[in-house]
């Protein structure tokens, strides 16, 4: 893989690290009263990373087949219809960004239900607490499947580069590790300097709760604008 591709993948993974499941819930767990159970946070983040990796490998396997079929379909198709379809895709993504933002806001209105999850996850010293944490991780990641645009973009880039199954799997594994790295760092800081870090975690959590939906909307909308502008430029060049 080229250095440019690696840099793009790292950037996309860091964008994914700021999602509801990879940052907001870990911060929310860290803000629970009492001593931080590092093992419990590790269970949660490990489950999230494993879920993303399994989904990514499955999507990458399907993406390779889909990409090959798509290339065979567009061979010989005139450039103008393809660019018009690209423009329509960009407009659809912009429209999707508004829908996603509204959907996330509705979900946030029901976030009070997670209070019981946190009580079980960090308060139960038995295996039931760890199981609850794993369930929470799977639920959070599953909810975010529809909004994992950076991850889908990374899978598309890797599939297009055709690095081979072993390299592709390793790249996705590293992507998932980088994705949970900020939460790991915050956990370490919370354990070492809990009294100093708590105000920072509270501010990050409050900011994220206020801007999570808007951030997703802008991300998806930005991708749509980029796709649409590229199509318009190519259509203008042809004309």
């Amino acid at each position: 893989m080229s250095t440019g591709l690696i840099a793009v993948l790292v950037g996309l993974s860091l964008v994914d690290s700021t999602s509801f499941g990879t940052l907001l819930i870990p911060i929310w767990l860290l803000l629970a009263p009492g001593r931080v159970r590092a093992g419990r946070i590790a269970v949660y983040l490990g489950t999230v990373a494993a879920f993303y990796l399994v989904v990514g490998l499955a999507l990458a396997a399907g993406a390779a087949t889909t990409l090959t079929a798509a290339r065979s379909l567009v061979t010989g198709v005139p450039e103008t219809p393809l660019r018009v379809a690209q423009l329509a895709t960009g407009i659809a993504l912009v429209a999707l960004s508004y829908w996603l933002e509204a959907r996330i806001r509705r979900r946030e209105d029901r976030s009070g239900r997670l209070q019981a999850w946190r009580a079980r996850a960090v308060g139960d010293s038995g295996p039931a607490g760890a199981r609850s944490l794993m369930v929470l991780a799977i639920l959070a990641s599953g909810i975010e499947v529809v909004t994992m645009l950076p991850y889908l973009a990374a899978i598309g880039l890797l599939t297009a580069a055709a690095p081979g199954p072993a390299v592709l799997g390793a790249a996705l594994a590293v992507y998932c590790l980088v994705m949970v790295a900020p939460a790991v760092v915050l956990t370490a800081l919370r354990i070492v300097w809990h009294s100093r870090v708590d105000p920072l975690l509270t501010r990050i959590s409050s900011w994220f709760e206020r801007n999570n939906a808007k951030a997703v909307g802008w991300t998806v909308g930005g991708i749509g604008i980029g796709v649409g502008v590229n199509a318009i430029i190519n259509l203008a060049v042809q004309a």
Side-chain angles (χ1 to χ4, degrees), residues 116-196:
W117 280 103
R118 182 170 74 173
R120 276 187 235 173
V122 299
D124 191 341
S125 59
R131 286 196 297 269
S132 297
L133 248 171
M134 294 177 70
V135 170
L136 173 59
I138 293 171
L139 286 174
S141 301
I143 289 171
E144 290 189 329
V145 166
V146 72
T147 60
M148 55 170 61
L149 268 298
Y151 196 36
L152 293 177
I155 293 170
L157 290 171
L158 283 169
T159 304
V167 176
L168 188 146
L172 287 177
V174 172
Y175 182 102
C176 293
L177 291 176
V178 173
M179 183 182 68
V180 300
V184 172
V185 171
L186 288 175
T187 301
L189 292 175
R190 173 68 168 77
I191 293 172
V192 177
W193 294 309
H194 59 91
S195 60
R196 300 179 184 178

Side-chain angles (χ1 to χ4, degrees), residues 3-215:
T3 303
L5 177 57
I6 293 173
V8 171
L9 293 175
V10 171
L12 290 171
S13 65
L14 291 176
V15 172
D16 257 335
S17 73
T18 63
S19 72
F20 178 79
T22 55
L23 187 63
L24 182 58
I25 289 181
I27 289 176
W28 179 66
L29 294 173
L30 290 173
L31 288 172
R35 182 176 60 89
V36 174
R37 297 176 182 269
R40 293 300 173 83
I41 304 298
V43 167
Y44 175 84
L45 293 176
T47 303
V48 169
F51 182 92
Y52 266 75
L53 179 59
V54 171
V55 170
L57 291 173
L59 291 175
T65 303
T66 303
L67 187 61
T68 301
R71 284 173 176 167
S72 64
L73 286 174
V74 300
T75 301
V77 177
E79 181 76 8
T80 299
L82 288 176
R83 294 302 177 182
V84 171
Q86 180 184 342
L87 177 59
T89 301
I91 294 172
L93 284 173
V94 173
L96 176 64
S97 70
Y98 288 99
W99 179 82
L100 288 175
E101 184 173 344
R103 182 177 184 274
I104 291 171
R105 290 190 188 281
R106 289 195 299 270
R107 184 183 68 193
E108 288 172 348
D109 291 339
R110 302 190 297 268
S111 61
R113 298 178 183 178
L114 293 177
Q115 299 299 327
W117 280 103
R118 182 170 74 173
R120 276 187 235 173
V122 299
D124 191 341
S125 59
R131 286 196 297 269
S132 297
L133 248 171
M134 294 177 70
V135 170
L136 173 59
I138 293 171
L139 286 174
S141 301
I143 289 171
E144 290 189 329
V145 166
V146 72
T147 60
M148 55 170 61
L149 268 298
Y151 196 36
L152 293 177
I155 293 170
L157 290 171
L158 283 169
T159 304
V167 176
L168 188 146
L172 287 177
V174 172
Y175 182 102
C176 293
L177 291 176
V178 173
M179 183 182 68
V180 300
V184 172
V185 171
L186 288 175
T187 301
L189 292 175
R190 173 68 168 77
I191 293 172
V192 177
W193 294 309
H194 59 91
S195 60
R196 300 179 184 178
V197 174
D198 278 358
L200 173 62
L201 293 178
T202 301
R203 287 196 296 270
I204 293 174
S205 179
S206 299
W207 182 93
F208 196 83
E209 288 173 355
R210 291 193 306 270
N211 297 280
N212 184 32
K214 187 178 294 184

